[in-house]
Amino acid sequence: MEMRRMLARRRGSRIVGERTVVTVGDDHARWFYDRFCSSAERMINNGKNNVLKRMIDGKRLQDARGFCACGECEIIDGIPLSYAYCCKEAMDVGSARSVAANNLANKIGSLSCVTKHSSFYSLCLDIEVLNMLSNHKGVCTQWPGMEETLTSRDYRYIAYRAFSYWTHGDDCRGNTLEPPLCVLHKIIQKFPMEDDSSLEQRGLLNVFGIGFYNEYEDQD
């Protein structure tokens, strides 16, 4: 709520509690990160994983081999602590399994990793499919732009949203359900960080761009 009030003040809203939507472009990146993204990332970086419904050990960011059971996880610079988990962990939470963990576990089934699912590549990594999904309101509530203008960073975000919608449906709104590290690694393999200017940014702004924060909603 603090972020929404701040944005409302920025736009001059006088209605207390009014939800104000602000579309932010890349030219606003520095202001947006300092005033909004950094606040969101502090909440995201508190270590609480919303899929597993538990805190993540800070040591995980040092080496994925200590927790990866699928063989596909690799540590990625700048990711939040809450993203440092393996898809297979959704299978191991027993009776305390959340709806989100159950959704992920159902996608994995008997596979060694959710990225081995026959639909994962076609839905989450195929550029032509991602171009179509970028117009799907369940995937991207805000249109990311013309296909010819999309960067690797844009595709990383669309791919993340495609995975989230494929796995969790409408429950993925707000970008609070973290993708497993194996999924994020595959997305970055397909759409490398070096292919655009994202290395100039910080945190998830580096990985996903402004779109992640435009749609991010803190859990009140």
Side-chain angles (χ1 to χ4, degrees), residues 86-188:
C86 175
C87 67
K88 298 292 279 188
E89 291 185 83
M91 312 282 287
D92 300 329
V93 291
S95 59
R97 184 185 292 175
S98 68
V99 172
N102 194 57
N103 291 339
L104 180 54
N106 286 339
K107 292 297 184 186
I108 299 169
S110 60
L111 299 171
S112 61
C113 179
V114 70
T115 64
K116 303 297 185 183
H117 194 290
S118 58
S119 296
F120 175 75
Y121 181 88
S122 59
L123 288 174
C124 305
L125 299 180
D126 185 276
I127 289 180
E128 290 188 4
V129 173
L130 293 177
N131 286 336
M132 290 188 291
L133 289 178
S134 68
N135 292 290
H136 190 297
K137 287 295 185 182
V139 176
C140 296
T141 59
Q142 296 184 22
W143 182 53
M146 300 292 292
E147 294 176 13
E148 57 269 23
T149 68
L150 297 179
T151 65
S152 286
R153 183 166 52 181
D154 294 324
Y155 279 117
R156 288 195 296 271
Y157 180 62
I158 300 168
Y160 154 66
R161 288 296 307 158
F163 172 80
S164 295
Y165 190 72
W166 173 59
T167 305
H168 304 293
D170 288 337
D171 289 345
C172 73
R173 291 185 182 277
N175 291 339
T176 57
L177 296 177
E178 304 87 352
L181 193 55
C182 46
V183 169
L184 193 55
H185 176 236
K186 292 295 184 183
I187 290 173
I188 290 177

Side-chain angles (χ1 to χ4, degrees), residues 27 36 38 45 51 59 72 75 80 85 90 95 97 100 106 111 123 133 161 182 189-190 192 210-211 215 218:
D27 56 333
F36 180 40
S38 58
N45 271 299
V51 175
K59 295 179 180 178
E72 301 294 338
I75 297 300
Y85 80 106
S95 59
R97 184 185 292 175
N106 286 339
L111 299 171
L123 288 174
L133 289 178
R161 288 296 307 158
C182 46
Q189 272 190 326
K190 176 67 177 181
I210 291 295
E215 299 182 29
D218 55 308

Side-chain angles (χ1 to χ4, degrees), residues 46-49 54-63 67 80-82 84-85 89:
N46 66 9
K48 180 183 178 182
N49 182 284
R54 62 178 174 82
M55 301 299 291
I56 300 296
D57 188 339
K59 295 179 180 178
R60 288 189 171 208
L61 291 179
Q62 300 172 12
D63 191 348
F67 63 87
L81 176 58
S82 60
Y85 80 106
E89 291 185 83

